[in-house]
Amino acid sequence: MARYRCLSCHQVAGSGGTLSTVPLDRIGSQLQRAYVTSYLQRPGAVRVSVEERMPQFNMTEAEARVLADYLATVFVDDALEQPIPLDAEAARRGAQLFATLGCRACHIVGGRGGYVGPDLSDTGRRLKPGWIAAWLSDPAKWKPGTLEPNHGLKPDEVRALTSYLMSLSTARQGGAP
């Protein structure tokens, strides 16, 4: 982390830069290790409306893997590391709920939607289910002042939306990280 000056932009425990909106405190419980490895090698926009971008460090795969392993091992929140049972029927219900709640007004899925929130097209390859469930249950707990509304979802609705979001992956369609 020191070599790439991660804390110039990111924060850990309230210390570090403020350029990035992504604190690293629990990043190991939020992002899948393989995604972090590929992202560090070829960073790209997750939130298309945010101008600040991760710099291209030209990391080798081995360097990216070491940093991803470190983040996945050290920066974890045990409360987020709980298994979430995912299934196709729950994903179908989650897709309906996604439409009913109007999530596409702010989020892109499959090239369509709004630009306020992050593109969710690759969520299944990018995020961990425990993080998605925690975020959907109470977004402001994890990011005070977030624009993401708290829909007051019931646990079965959280599981359904999590299942749906985990089913989304551009990697299966040959997309880049």
Side-chain angles (χ1 to χ4, degrees):
M1 284 182 59
R3 177 179 181 187
Y4 293 105
R5 300 183 42 147
C6 299
L7 295 183
S8 295
C9 298
H10 295 274
Q11 290 198 357
V12 172
S15 294
T18 58
L19 185 60
S20 174
T21 61
V22 179
L24 299 179
D25 301 271
R26 60 184 167 270
I27 201 76
S29 296
Q30 292 173 283
L31 297 176
Q32 295 184 36
R33 191 178 301 202
Y35 172 79
V36 173
T37 300
S38 66
Y39 183 82
L40 290 171
Q41 291 179 275
R42 291 174 305 284
V46 175
R47 295 189 72 163
V48 294
S49 64
V50 177
E51 288 184 34
E52 294 80 15
R53 300 284 187 251
M54 178 84 155
Q56 176 65 260
F57 290 111
N58 298 315
M59 286 186 198
T60 66
E61 184 177 350
E63 290 170 322
R65 196 174 318 119
V66 167
L67 185 52
D69 288 347
Y70 177 73
L71 294 171
T73 304
V74 175
F75 294 102
V76 296
D77 180 337
D78 291 340
L80 300 173
E81 295 292 327
Q82 43 189 299
I84 307 291
L86 306 172
D87 62 70
E89 178 55 35
R92 280 190 288 283
R93 288 192 318 273
Q96 291 171 339
L97 190 55
F98 189 86
T100 301
L101 294 173
C103 301
R104 200 178 288 267
C106 295
H107 296 281
I108 296 170
V109 173
R112 294 186 8 233
Y115 294 96
V116 175
D119 183 339
L120 300 178
S121 302
D122 204 23
T123 300
R125 192 175 71 87
R126 189 167 53 90
L127 299 177
K128 290 186 171 183
W131 166 247
I132 295 171
W135 175 261
L136 292 172
S137 296
D138 188 0
K141 173 183 176 183
W142 302 102
K143 186 174 182 183
T146 184
L147 295 176
E148 179 75 31
N150 185 337
H151 292 285
L153 299 170
K154 297 174 186 154
D156 63 316
E157 293 171 321
V158 168
R159 184 167 97 51
L161 270 173
T162 300
S163 290
Y164 169 65
L165 293 171
M166 288 303 296
S167 76
L168 302 176
S169 177
T170 57
R172 282 185 253 153
Q173 302 162 4

